[in-house]
Amino acid sequence: SIAMPYHRTLLADTISDIRRSSVGRDVKILIGGAAFDQKSNYHYFGADGFAPSALKAIEVANKLFEIKTDAN
C-alpha cells in the first residue's frame, strides 16, 4: 500500500526514474486517492498533479494538457 512510508519512498524513486528516462521526460504523472491526504504532497513525489478521485483526475489531466471542455 502506498499508505506505508516505505512505499512512498519507492513512489518518489519510481517517478524520478521515469523522469530520467528518455521516454518519460514528457509524461504527465498524477497521483491521488485516499492514501494521499493533502493536495500539496504531489510535488514531494515529483508528480505533475493530484486528484482525490478518478473523476477529479480527469479534470486535473485536462488542465495539464490544456484541453478545453464545453464547460470552459
Side-chain angles (χ1 to χ4, degrees):
S1 169
I2 198 63
M4 298 174 63
Y6 175 74
H7 291 155
R8 288 179 174 235
T9 300
L10 293 176
L11 174 62
D13 292 346
T14 299
I15 291 174
S16 179
D17 289 345
I18 291 168
R19 298 280 189 225
R20 284 194 307 265
S21 74
S22 62
V23 296
R25 288 186 201 121
D26 297 324
V27 171
K28 301 295 184 194
I29 299 173
L30 298 179
I31 62 174
F36 296 95
D37 57 357
Q38 291 184 359
K39 182 178 178 179
S40 61
N41 283 346
Y42 72 91
H43 288 295
Y44 170 80
F45 295 101
D48 297 298
F50 164 86
S53 67
L55 185 60
K56 288 290 183 183
I58 294 168
E59 293 176 22
V60 173
N62 284 339
K63 288 178 185 176
L64 285 174
F65 289 101
E66 299 179 353
I67 296 172
K68 301 296 181 190
T69 63
D70 290 340
N72 293 343

